Amino acid sequence: MDRREFLRWMGVASGASVLAGCDLSRKSEKLIPYLVPPEDGIIPGDATFVATSCTECPVGCSVSARIRDDRPVKVDGIAGHPVNDGALCIRGQASLNRLYNVERIRQPLMQDGSGNLVPATWNQALAKVSQALKTTSGEHVFLSGRTSGSLSVLIDEFSQRLNMRRLPEFELFSYAAVREANRSLFGVDAIPFLHPDRADVVVTVGADVLETYGHPVAFARALSRKHDSGEHFTWFHVEPHASMTGFKASERVSVKPGTEGYFLAFLLHSLGRSLDGRASSHVSSVPAVTLDRAAEATGIARETLSKIADALRAAHAPLLVAGGVSIGHESGLDVARIAALIQAVTGMNGRTIDFARATDYSRVGSMSDIDRLKSRLDANQVGTAFVFNVDLVGRLSGWNDFASSLEKASFLVGVGDIMNATLSLCDVVLPLSHAYESWGDVEPVAGVVNVIQPALKPLFDTLSDGDVLLRILAEAGAAAETSYQQYVMDRWARDYGPAAADLVKKGYLETSASAASISLREPDHRYTFGAAPAKTPALVIAPSVRWYDGRSAELELLKEIPDPLSTVSWDPWVSVGLETAAALGVDDRSEVEIRVGNWSTALPVRRQPGLQRDVFMIQHGVAGPPAGWSRTSGEANAVVADVAVTPTGRKVPTTILSASLFEEGRGVVPGSHPEHFGPLKKMQEQHAHGGHELKHEDVSFYPVPNYPTYRWAMAIDMDKCVGCSACVAACTIENNVALSGRDSHLRGRELSWIRIEPYYAEDGSSLDTVPTMCQQCDYAPCEPVCPVYATYHNNEGLNVQVYNRCVGTRYCSNNCPYKQRRFNWFSWEHRPHPMNLMTNPDVSMRGKGMMEKCTFCVQRIRKARDVAKDEGREIREGDFTTACAAACPGGAIVFGNLLDEKSQVHEWAHHERSSRLLEELGTGPGVFYLKKKGGHHGA
Amino acid sequence: MSERLVFGSEHDFLHKLEELVKSGVNPRDIEIFAPHPVHKAEEILEMKPSFVRTFALIGGLTGAATGYLLTSLTALDWPLPVGNKPIVGIPPYTIIAFELMVLFGGLSAFLGFIVTSRMPAIRTIISQDEFRDTFEIHVRKG
Amino acid sequence: MAHDHAVAAAAAHPASEKRLQIERDVISAMQRPGLVYWGLVGFFATVFGVCLLGAWAYQIYKGIGVGGQMNPVGWGIYIVNFVFWVGIAHSGTLISAVLFLFRSKFRSSFNRAAEAMTVIAVMCAGMYPLIHLGRVWYAFWLFPYPNQRLLWTNFKSPLEWDVFAISTYLTISVVFFYVGLIPDFAIVKRYTRGLRRHIYSALSLGWVGSKQQWRNYNMLYALLAGFATPLVLSVHSVVSWDFAMGIVPGWHTTIFAPYFVAGAIFSGCGMVLTLCIPMRKLQKLERVMPIDHFEKLAKTMLFTSMIVGYAYTVEFILAYYSGNVYEFGVFKDRAIGHYKFAYWIMVFCNVVSPLALFIKRVRRSLGALFVISIFVNIGMWFERFVIIIQSLSHEFVPYAWGNYSPRWPEVSIMIGTFGFFFMMFLLFAKFLPVVAITEKKEEVH
């Protein structure tokens, strides 16, 4: 054959081999770009935002959900909202982990007769429920958690039409003592809104205002505003245990568990106000407590007691609130009442204590109601019981036999989203859509209503809470078939008129709040706080910033992120004070047996600086003892006295992420060790008086980096960071950071890009929570050592990490002095459905063998640059910010262009309080830390 | 025609060699075989230093130059700042240059040896001439 | 005829008799191997295949996470082994090249075995940078080659220096080893028949020991020795700079280059003794490996042990004297922290046990030397363990401290490497002359 023909045959041969490479057995699919977008304004690759609400805890913060490709990939608060003003707590940030949880119940379940729950259709399940309602004997009951707005109204209708008794709503954190105190003193059954930003002296007794009490995000926001205002501000926090809130206060005071009544009584009587009438009789009805008596009973030093009393007395706008574990004992009602009295006497009501914007807990019951329910169950008086989106058995885990009582109901209908202890007992389980898949509304505080609207279509065969009720009603023939969407929209149209459109668009409506008139009623109470002081050793069961009352422990992201105080991530533990641990001869990970009466458990120890002698602490979510409840207030006990804690002698592998809770002489806390500051700064300070201007080349032979337009930098105000770890959750979700899991944590392989490093003073008197991430150093030690240029410095100041170039030598992470690089030890990028939907399409997934780290949200930088380029300008301050900065409830993190002299990060970076971590190493970090105004307590 | 002398000891061998050269035999007509290196023999035969070292020198210089050029030119081709260090850094690039100098120098020396010794000597391999234990002097006559 | 008489007369000379005895002694060790030998080779080959290749395949499949590396200790015993094997390799080159330049007499007993050990050890070492890579299938990115992405390697990175240094070292070691073998192959050829004879003949490149050949050979050998000496110093310096270029406290110190080089010589001496003492006995090489030579090696080992001990002391004292909280923190942790067992083993094996070599009787007792050499091997392994792993576990930020322990895939690969080493050394001992016959002959008068 000739040459031409040969080439032709060669072409065919090679073409054939290409064809052979195609898998023709697979159906080929075509990619056709949109000619007509599915909905107006939807452009693939661009995000849209939907306003809705968070339902992770009863507060009801607003949510702005960022939608990409038909599903939400990130949530933040709605800026300007009266409660959460653009921020979400760690649980709110992690709420997507509930939406996309692998354990979500995907269709209705029914008992099959041999004790197993098997899948069923809605028709089957609803038919079964209808039948049960008709045939079971006994009273039908309906129990839910706190509800508000349209859902609460619908539940009323539901209960009425089906002849059901609507039981008082169940919340473990029922605020029963506070409400009882408010009710009996002021006639108001509500939880007031707090305004610490209007206060100059704040005293919190047990109330974990930054974790779960009241509106934690709002409190953090208010604190932030207070710091910005520059006004003087002192905050005393009194608690029997050790909480994140306590360490954030100006001074944290340990009080013997159960003796807060003495403390408050002492305060009340030392106010020195001249009172008349009812106020006077109220105050006289509180037993007098002298300074000595208070000191002796509470264990608080005399000087401290005097200091607090003096501060309160001299305050112009004080704020005092009691709650949390301090009202969870026999004298809890006394504590709440005296606190309320102090509020009234010092005129806090209407200024720093706001009943106009109160939260309505009037339908929420207390443990007394649960007790009554239990009796009725045990007496076989209950017919069909609806347990509606509340894990009763899980929350009452201390009551071992509540589960068996619940089973005595003739028929149990459980409504929920993730299988839990309660649902597994039910005869029929109706799966609940997540709030982000539903319509509805919620009233976080009086005068504010948030919309709940779907950010995506339901992932599974589930219904929203309202739809479940309406379907049951329709099935039972008690109402016409309608959707909950229609129901709420009708209600909004009726109640808000044309403003209803605003509700859906803006996400919330503020209606005028009626100024409640708060005045003292007749005194009617005998104070008994002196009767039975708490006996130590005591166990305090504390609220958890990660899990609330334990309910959010279902979300694995909230186990992956460690507890800010102890840095324990996945495992349960018991906190033991330093002195107590030494006395018991235990160290971290030592196992101890905790025995209360007949109940016992074994838990590993984590030593907690600042936790007082002979007080032990576990968090809700860790299975606790039967704590009982106060007969006077109905509040669940948070303090269990007379516990016996004995070491078992074993060491238990525990997922503790921090190797040391102390600085160990290194200046890793901003402002703690000025002598560790680098030579440049020291010499500058020395030369400042001599007028000699020190130049960079005088102290370093490295060239000054030259950034043409942007130098992205971050600044963190240590006064504003409370340690809540919302930034960690936000970053993890924004950047598709994998959850490495318990086994990896045991081996020391965490993956989160930003972390909170807690450093305590040696004596446990103070805590610095330092959020750290890749410092994007000018002279990054990690860059020169990578043999393949997988990490280098770009001309905007970022230390870029090129995932697909990384060969995984891990020298970069060895060389990072801040240890902020994370390695993918396994293939963690594969997520099972539906967790694979919790991925941000703007960020690539990293495979095994690659190094990753914080990128200052480079995907957002890029997006902002695209937008700016379209508009023909540079990126401006305020165009975008990083996920962590956006999430922080305290506003502690700012991000921007350091070269822009008008930017906030420039201002903070050049502030007199500004410093950088490990400055003396000469790495030139791009993250600036503002040390605390009050100086570093101890070293 | 050649005269072949065989010796068992180095001493005898060197003695005879010296004798031969002193007696006026042209060193270039003398071929010697030895079971181990005998430096004195090279002196007696007034042999010039081997050319292998020139190979090594050229190889080494080439290696060093390659080292510096490879590193510097590739760094300048796409400057990626790392740790804000100079794009062309003499200390690190000297290491590469040094290693390549040794590598090229050693390989060139070996190559030089092969070439100047005309090895592999195929004929010898095939004919299976042996490397004996004896010292031998072959004098070419005529 | 007359010529044959002359040959016979020459062969009868006592010097010739001694030289031929050397030949016979060494080549008798290359007799047809028996079942026991093949059994051993098979055993070590299996260890290599299963423990190393098998575990490595498992690790590639699952990910580096099957090992014990974690945050902050990103480098585990793979890198410890890497430095260990490079150190051992260096001693071989030291004995070959450096002692050649110093014209030392005791070199000739060990240099062949040492060179073989070098080549095999460098191969063992060279596996580890690949084994410890997170994405070893892209290992070729570590070599600068022109590509479509216009990407080159980062020559400022110590790991890149490693690529060049180890490649150069492997190449030159192989060349040096081979060059030294050329005359010996020609000798071995005389004692073999058939296919073996052809192979040795080809490998000897037709060497006959002529004037031209010897002239060029001497020059080449001297040049290679001259190149290899600075190469040894530079390669282990480069390996030490893998650590010294990092800012990790305990790594970032200028003493590392000489410290590691001395340590390499030290550990290499230990390994040479460990290999040669049994080899001398099993292959009946007493005549060609006199005790005097072992004593000289022992003195070298003692000397380098003292340098290493000095380095330990200086590091510790300067860490204290510096007042630098990070530096002194890591050294305190070395002595009393989580890894103190490794630290004190290291001190005992490397500093205390070689002190026995001050006693002449110990130096001349092969049994004692063997025991001490084992201690040295262990001690030097632990020295690298302490330097690499303990320093990483106790860096700047207390939150990030953490402890590492190796897991089974890493231990398996380590065992497999020894399997490879001994398999190769056994093959060397049977198929190549274990003593440099030609150089030994030079000593006969």
Side-chain angles (χ1 to χ4, degrees):
Chain A
M1 69 174 76
D2 71 359
R3 188 174 147 271
R4 202 164 286 161
E5 198 157 304
F6 173 78
L7 283 174
R8 218 174 336 156
W9 278 110
M10 281 305 295
V12 170
S14 46
S17 57
V18 167
L19 268 182
C22 303
D23 186 356
L24 294 174
S25 62
R26 266 192 309 176
K27 202 161 71 79
S28 53
E29 294 168 351
K30 296 194 175 155
L31 286 172
I32 306 178
Y34 288 123
L35 279 178
V36 179
E39 254 186 68
D40 246 346
I42 300 232
I43 302 170
D46 273 359
T48 53
F49 293 86
V50 157
T52 180
S53 302
C54 175
T55 51
E56 202 59 37
C57 86
V59 169
C61 294
S62 64
V63 162
S64 171
R66 176 169 179 264
I67 318 270
R68 273 298 306 275
D69 299 351
D70 80 352
R71 64 184 197 279
V73 292
K74 181 75 175 61
V75 292
D76 279 299
I78 297 178
H81 189 275
V83 172
N84 64 321
D85 188 22
L88 284 177
C89 72
I90 182 179
R91 298 182 298 277
Q93 285 291 343
S95 56
L96 285 179
N97 188 199
R98 179 178 292 279
L99 170 66
Y100 295 124
N101 203 296
V102 170
E103 300 298 322
R104 275 195 63 190
I105 307 173
R106 304 178 181 211
Q107 74 277 298
L109 303 168
M110 284 177 10
Q111 287 278 348
D112 65 354
S114 39
N116 302 320
L117 282 167
V118 295
T121 66
W122 275 98
N123 289 333
Q124 288 172 330
L126 291 173
K128 194 103 197 214
V129 170
S130 283
Q131 187 197 26
L133 283 170
K134 286 200 215 50
T135 57
T136 54
S137 62
E139 192 183 29
H140 303 319
V141 297
F142 186 96
L143 179 64
S144 71
R146 175 184 177 261
T147 61
S148 63
S150 303
L151 185 62
S152 192
V153 171
L154 178 57
I155 293 175
D156 273 337
E157 282 180 33
F158 179 85
S159 321
Q160 271 168 17
R161 294 198 195 192
L162 296 177
N163 283 324
M164 233 185 268
R165 177 204 284 265
R166 183 181 182 183
L167 295 174
E169 294 167 342
F170 171 72
E171 288 291 339
L172 188 60
F173 296 166
S174 58
Y175 298 90
V178 171
R179 286 161 43 214
E180 177 59 36
N182 288 339
R183 206 181 305 131
S184 91
L185 279 169
F186 309 123
V188 180
D189 182 351
I191 300 159
F193 197 75
L194 304 175
H195 291 286
D197 48 335
R198 298 182 194 162
D200 55 351
V201 172
V202 175
V203 180
T204 45
V205 182
D208 50 314
V209 285
L210 290 173
E211 292 155 88
T212 66
Y213 183 90
H215 312 87
V217 176
F219 201 93
R221 273 275 183 259
L223 268 188
S224 183
R225 286 194 294 274
K226 192 71 188 179
H227 278 297
D228 282 340
S229 71
E231 287 160 18
H232 181 73
F233 175 76
T234 317
W235 176 12
F236 299 96
H237 183 86
V238 177
E239 62 184 4
H241 64 313
S243 73
M244 195 186 90
T245 308
F247 280 111
K248 194 61 212 160
S250 318
E251 189 166 338
R252 185 185 149 263
V253 179
S254 284
V255 62
K256 290 217 199 96
T259 64
E260 293 90 342
Y262 288 93
F263 169 71
L264 285 170
F266 163 74
L267 272 189
L268 178 66
H269 287 294
S270 52
L271 283 174
R273 307 263 165 133
S274 55
L275 305 160
D276 52 345
R278 263 190 206 152
S280 182
S281 357
H282 268 288
V283 171
S284 347
S285 69
V286 177
V289 173
T290 60
L291 174 63
D292 288 336
R293 183 81 186 95
E296 188 206 324
T298 62
I300 303 175
R302 279 173 183 67
E303 308 84 59
T304 314
L305 285 169
S306 306
K307 197 190 334 178
I308 302 176
D310 292 341
L312 196 56
R313 200 171 31 237
H316 298 297
L319 166 63
L320 183 142
V321 65
V325 305
S326 290
I327 56 172
H329 51 78
E330 272 315 309
S331 318
L333 182 56
D334 287 354
V335 171
R337 284 185 64 103
I338 304 176
L341 258 183
I342 296 178
Q343 291 169 1
V345 163
T346 54
M348 292 181 201
N349 291 328
R351 290 157 68 201
T352 54
I353 304 260
D354 187 353
F355 275 97
R357 277 258 189 269
T359 308
D360 180 13
Y361 261 59
S362 57
R363 278 182 304 278
V364 175
S366 70
M367 292 299 287
S368 331
D369 299 298
I370 293 296
D371 193 48
R372 272 192 282 276
L373 172 62
K374 184 170 187 304
S375 315
R376 271 202 233 118
L377 284 165
D378 288 337
N380 293 314
Q381 291 172 352
V382 173
T384 301
F386 273 79
V387 184
F388 197 82
N389 202 14
V390 57
D391 183 8
L392 203 53
V393 175
R395 302 287 76 76
L396 296 170
S397 65
W399 283 23
N400 299 335
D401 57 353
F402 191 83
S404 55
S405 297
L406 192 60
E407 282 182 300
K408 295 202 179 104
S410 309
F411 194 83
L412 276 174
V413 181
V415 183
D417 50 19
I418 295 178
M419 186 57 66
N420 55 40
T422 306
L423 293 176
S424 52
L425 299 175
C426 293
D427 296 295
V428 170
V429 174
L430 302 176
L432 205 55
S433 296
H434 193 275
Y436 301 154
E437 297 167 316
S438 317
W439 282 98
D441 56 38
V442 66
E443 287 167 19
V445 294
V448 177
V449 59
N450 294 352
V451 71
I452 294 179
Q453 67 180 309
L456 79 168
K457 290 206 185 56
L459 290 167
F460 304 116
D461 188 14
T462 58
L463 288 177
S464 73
D465 40 20
D467 278 315
V468 168
L469 297 173
L470 288 170
R471 282 285 297 271
I472 296 175
L473 279 177
E475 182 77 19
E481 189 140 348
T482 181
S483 74
Y484 190 52
Q485 176 183 1
Q486 194 59 49
Y487 181 90
V488 294
M489 285 188 161
D490 287 343
R491 258 197 95 229
W492 296 338
R494 197 183 58 226
D495 289 349
Y496 308 117
D502 247 4
L503 175 65
V504 173
K505 202 147 156 251
K506 193 167 86 161
Y508 65 97
L509 277 183
E510 283 181 76
T511 58
S512 53
S514 54
S517 63
I518 308 297
S519 54
L520 282 171
R521 292 159 91 210
E522 276 300 320
D524 59 355
H525 182 78
R526 252 179 46 85
Y527 291 88
T528 57
F529 59 80
K535 302 185 211 57
T536 52
L539 176 69
V540 173
I541 309 170
S544 165
V545 69
R546 293 185 294 163
W547 304 331
Y548 196 72
D549 53 6
R551 66 180 67 184
S552 297
E554 297 170 325
L555 309 188
E556 50 270 25
L557 176 58
L558 293 176
K559 284 212 166 95
E560 176 87 5
I561 299 174
D563 170 67
L565 290 189
S566 61
T567 73
V568 180
S569 57
W570 288 81
D571 287 335
W573 80 98
V574 55
S575 290
V576 178
L578 298 179
E579 273 181 39
T580 322
L584 284 173
V586 294
D587 203 342
D588 291 331
R589 299 182 172 84
S590 304
E591 192 186 46
V592 291
E593 196 200 31
I594 307 174
R595 186 172 283 278
V596 176
N598 289 336
W599 177 92
S600 76
T601 190
L603 287 171
V605 165
R606 174 58 162 158
R607 296 182 317 140
Q608 176 63 49
L611 184 57
Q612 61 178 309
R613 190 74 199 265
D614 285 335
V615 173
F616 301 88
M617 183 176 89
I618 60 175
Q619 286 187 354
H620 280 285
V622 174
W629 50 284
S630 160
R631 295 305 187 267
T632 47
S633 66
E635 189 81 45
N637 281 346
V639 177
V640 180
D642 265 341
V643 296
V645 177
T646 42
T648 63
R650 287 174 47 210
K651 278 243 174 190
V652 177
T654 316
T655 53
I656 299 176
L657 294 188
S658 167
S660 173
L661 293 171
F662 304 99
E663 278 187 285
E664 313 270 350
R666 296 132 198 261
V668 287
V669 171
S672 67
H673 277 74
E675 66 269 21
H676 286 173
F677 287 159
L680 178 62
K681 186 138 178 143
K682 256 207 286 216
M683 294 213 282
Q684 279 172 340
E685 279 162 12
Q686 282 166 10
H687 279 77
H689 301 292
H692 171 75
E693 179 64 32
L694 255 191
K695 291 199 283 294
H696 175 96
E697 49 264 31
D698 293 333
V699 293
S700 168
F701 58 74
Y702 279 100
V704 179
N706 181 23
Y707 302 115
T709 324
Y710 309 102
R711 202 299 185 208
W712 301 115
M714 190 177 271
I716 298 179
D717 189 342
M718 293 295 293
D719 269 326
K720 295 184 179 177
C721 171
V722 303
C724 69
S725 310
C727 51
V728 180
C731 169
T732 305
I733 292 182
E734 168 76 15
N735 292 295
N736 301 336
V737 179
L739 306 184
S740 56
R742 178 176 181 263
D743 282 339
S744 286
H745 280 214
L746 279 177
R747 299 226 235 140
R749 293 170 175 170
E750 66 272 25
L751 206 55
S752 73
W753 290 3
I754 180 175
R755 64 173 181 230
I756 305 289
E757 294 182 7
Y759 292 110
Y760 294 87
E762 287 292 326
D763 58 1
S765 60
S766 69
L767 165 68
D768 288 279
T769 49
V770 189
T772 53
M773 70 298 286
C774 170
Q775 306 282 295
Q776 314 283 353
C777 310
D778 280 335
Y779 307 101
C782 59
E783 292 167 357
V785 294
C786 174
V788 290
Y789 279 128
T791 180
Y792 63 91
H793 216 70
N794 78 0
N795 66 351
E796 296 184 352
L798 287 183
N799 171 268
V800 299
Q801 179 70 32
V802 185
Y803 303 126
N804 48 358
R805 176 68 172 168
C806 175
V807 287
T809 61
R810 306 185 294 286
Y811 198 162
C812 54
S813 104
N814 290 345
N815 225 24
C816 174
Y818 310 98
K819 284 286 167 274
Q820 293 299 343
R821 287 173 153 272
R822 307 280 176 262
F823 189 69
N824 284 276
W825 301 98
F826 293 107
S827 282
W828 279 325
E829 73 273 27
H830 307 296
R831 299 179 176 190
H833 180 78
M835 274 293 275
N836 60 331
L837 299 176
M838 194 176 90
T839 48
N840 182 355
D842 292 335
V843 178
S844 48
M845 306 292 283
R846 283 81 57 189
K848 70 173 183 249
M850 297 180 195
M851 191 65 78
E852 62 182 52
K853 65 174 184 68
C854 164
T855 61
F856 272 5
C857 283
V858 67
Q859 68 277 4
R860 295 188 177 199
I861 298 176
R862 184 171 255 165
K863 186 76 196 179
R865 201 205 317 288
D866 283 347
V867 170
K869 201 155 139 193
D870 284 345
E871 297 176 14
R873 58 170 175 85
E874 303 289 352
I875 307 177
R876 282 192 294 255
E877 166 92 337
D879 274 352
F880 78 102
T881 190
T882 55
C884 52
C888 178
I893 305 179
V894 301
F895 175 86
N897 179 8
L898 190 62
L899 299 179
D900 176 359
E901 282 167 20
K902 295 201 280 299
S903 70
Q904 199 174 11
V905 74
H906 182 90
E907 182 197 325
W908 284 26
H910 289 82
H911 200 277
E912 55 170 4
R913 283 163 50 210
S914 156
S915 69
R916 296 189 290 189
L917 294 181
L918 300 179
E919 179 91 54
E920 66 270 30
L921 294 181
T923 49
V927 181
F928 296 83
Y929 289 85
L930 300 190
K931 43 189 179 191
K932 287 182 174 168
K933 285 195 216 91
H936 184 73
H937 306 279
Chain B
M1 253 311 286
S2 62
E3 189 190 340
R4 293 161 71 188
L5 303 165
V6 186
F7 305 87
S9 89
E10 185 185 355
H11 176 82
D12 294 343
F13 160 74
L14 281 173
H15 187 78
K16 182 69 186 179
L17 190 64
E18 227 168 334
E19 230 182 72
L20 278 172
V21 171
K22 280 222 187 77
S23 74
V25 179
N26 189 345
R28 271 207 278 274
D29 289 332
I30 299 177
E31 175 63 87
I32 57 170
F33 295 87
H36 60 73
V38 186
H39 296 282
K40 197 98 181 16
E42 291 175 27
E43 277 175 38
I44 298 170
L45 292 175
E46 293 155 14
M47 293 173 75
K48 286 202 294 287
S50 161
F51 200 60
V52 170
R53 59 184 188 169
T54 315
F55 274 83
L57 178 68
I58 296 175
L61 289 175
T62 310
T66 309
Y68 279 116
L69 287 175
L70 171 69
T71 49
S72 309
L73 294 181
T74 58
L76 290 168
D77 179 55
W78 187 352
L80 289 168
V82 282
N84 208 33
K85 298 190 179 204
I87 296 295
V88 172
I90 298 302
Y93 295 172
T94 301
I95 296 172
I96 304 287
F98 179 84
E99 301 297 339
L100 284 185
M101 176 187 82
V102 170
L103 178 67
F104 284 28
L107 288 177
S108 304
F110 182 70
L111 183 70
F113 167 71
I114 297 289
V115 162
T116 56
S117 310
R118 294 187 190 80
M119 287 165 86
I122 307 288
R123 204 182 294 154
T124 315
I125 295 174
I126 296 174
S127 76
Q128 307 209 340
D129 273 353
E130 292 192 342
F131 172 51
R132 289 174 288 276
D133 181 62
T134 50
F135 298 85
E136 297 190 10
I137 302 177
H138 294 204
V139 183
R140 201 150 34 113
K141 291 221 166 66
Chain C
M1 268 303 281
H3 179 72
D4 292 334
H5 279 306
V7 170
H13 195 286
S16 181
E17 189 51 47
K18 282 198 209 133
R19 289 197 303 269
L20 286 171
Q21 185 58 45
I22 293 174
E23 281 186 16
R24 280 193 288 270
D25 280 340
V26 175
I27 291 178
S28 72
M30 295 166 65
Q31 290 310 332
R32 174 146 249 118
L35 265 180
V36 173
Y37 172 79
W38 284 117
L40 273 177
V41 171
F43 168 70
F44 285 120
T46 311
V47 168
F48 167 57
V50 171
C51 294
L52 194 150
L53 296 178
W56 191 5
Y58 175 66
Q59 181 185 270
I60 294 177
Y61 175 65
K62 284 239 138 176
I64 295 286
V66 300
Q69 302 98 317
M70 26 71 86
N71 305 331
V73 184
W75 285 354
I77 62 174
Y78 292 151
I79 302 300
V80 172
N81 286 329
F82 169 66
V83 183
F84 177 73
W85 285 112
V86 173
I88 286 175
H90 280 320
S91 183
T93 315
L94 165 84
I95 289 173
S96 260
V98 179
L99 292 182
F100 172 82
L101 293 176
F102 287 136
R103 310 256 180 270
S104 98
K105 293 276 169 18
F106 70 95
R107 163 184 179 269
S108 56
S109 297
F110 308 109
N111 76 324
R112 177 61 45 72
E115 285 162 27
M117 183 187 83
T118 293
V119 170
I120 306 171
V122 178
M123 286 193 233
C124 289
M127 286 192 273
Y128 279 107
L130 299 174
I131 293 174
H132 111 284
L133 274 186
R135 300 207 294 165
V136 64
W137 46 98
Y138 290 125
F140 61 94
W141 286 348
L142 288 165
F143 291 88
Y145 66 96
N147 54 70
Q148 247 192 348
R149 288 158 294 146
L150 308 178
L151 271 175
W152 296 91
T153 53
N154 179 10
F155 295 105
K156 297 189 189 69
S157 163
L159 300 180
E160 190 62 20
W161 305 340
D162 259 355
V163 170
F164 279 78
I166 302 293
S167 309
T168 303
Y169 190 47
L170 179 62
T171 311
I172 298 295
S173 300
V174 169
V175 169
F176 196 39
F177 185 50
Y178 176 65
V179 164
L181 275 166
I182 291 176
D184 282 11
F185 279 140
I187 295 175
V188 173
K189 170 173 105 176
R190 267 191 276 128
Y191 288 80
T192 51
R193 301 238 168 291
L195 177 66
R196 281 185 68 155
R197 189 187 171 96
H198 284 299
I199 293 175
Y200 285 117
S201 181
L203 283 172
S204 72
L205 300 180
W207 173 267
V208 290
S210 67
K211 156 174 87 167
Q212 193 69 342
Q213 286 180 342
W214 273 123
R215 181 177 73 117
N216 293 328
Y217 182 86
N218 291 335
M219 175 66 69
L220 171 65
Y221 202 85
L223 282 169
L224 283 177
F227 274 126
T229 305
L231 181 64
V232 162
L233 297 175
S234 73
V235 170
H236 217 61
S237 298
V238 165
V239 170
S240 80
W241 291 333
D242 280 348
F243 312 109
M245 290 296 143
I247 66 170
V248 178
W251 282 13
H252 194 51
T253 158
T254 49
I255 204 179
F256 260 35
Y259 169 28
F260 269 52
V261 172
I265 298 167
F266 180 47
S267 69
C269 287
M271 188 56 94
V272 166
L273 284 172
T274 305
L275 290 171
C276 287
I277 293 174
M279 187 175 77
R280 174 183 192 265
K281 185 101 194 241
L282 293 170
Q283 294 188 304
K284 301 200 191 354
L285 295 166
E286 288 85 348
R287 252 193 301 255
V288 286
M289 297 173 88
I291 302 262
D292 279 345
H293 291 182
F294 281 91
E295 188 185 353
K296 293 258 172 45
L297 197 56
K299 282 188 190 167
T300 311
M301 201 161 82
L302 175 61
F303 177 60
T304 47
S305 150
M306 280 157 46
I307 297 179
V308 165
Y310 167 77
Y312 294 165
T313 315
V314 155
E315 271 193 316
F316 200 97
I317 290 176
L318 283 183
Y320 164 72
Y321 184 69
S322 71
N324 183 310
V325 62
Y326 310 112
E327 190 76 17
F328 193 46
V330 84
F331 276 94
K332 264 194 298 195
D333 183 74
R334 251 181 219 189
I336 58 176
H338 179 93
Y339 290 111
K340 60 179 181 283
F341 76 94
Y343 179 75
W344 291 108
I345 289 177
M346 166 186 108
V347 169
F348 172 75
C349 290
N350 292 344
V351 182
V352 174
S353 71
L355 290 175
L357 296 174
F358 273 116
I359 305 170
K360 194 175 176 88
R361 257 187 50 197
V362 173
R363 285 202 300 273
R364 297 188 67 86
S365 150
L366 289 185
L369 278 185
F370 183 74
V371 169
I372 294 179
S373 75
I374 298 282
F375 275 141
V376 166
N377 287 335
I378 293 174
M380 283 310 290
W381 193 91
F382 273 102
E383 179 194 285
R384 277 65 172 252
F385 183 92
V386 166
I387 290 174
I388 295 169
I389 288 162
Q390 186 273 339
S391 303
L392 285 175
S393 74
H394 200 86
E395 276 197 53
F396 297 91
V397 174
Y399 181 103
W401 293 342
N403 295 321
Y404 153 91
S405 25
R407 304 191 98 228
W408 73 262
E410 299 165 280
V411 177
S412 172
I413 288 178
M414 180 169 162
I415 293 173
T417 316
F418 279 95
F420 175 78
F421 183 82
F422 288 119
M423 171 186 83
M424 294 294 280
F425 199 83
L426 278 173
L427 290 173
F428 152 76
K430 268 291 176 232
F431 292 103
L432 298 177
V434 300
V435 172
I437 304 171
T438 306
E439 297 183 29
K440 268 290 173 194
K441 286 187 183 180
E442 237 183 305
E443 292 166 19
V444 170
H445 293 290

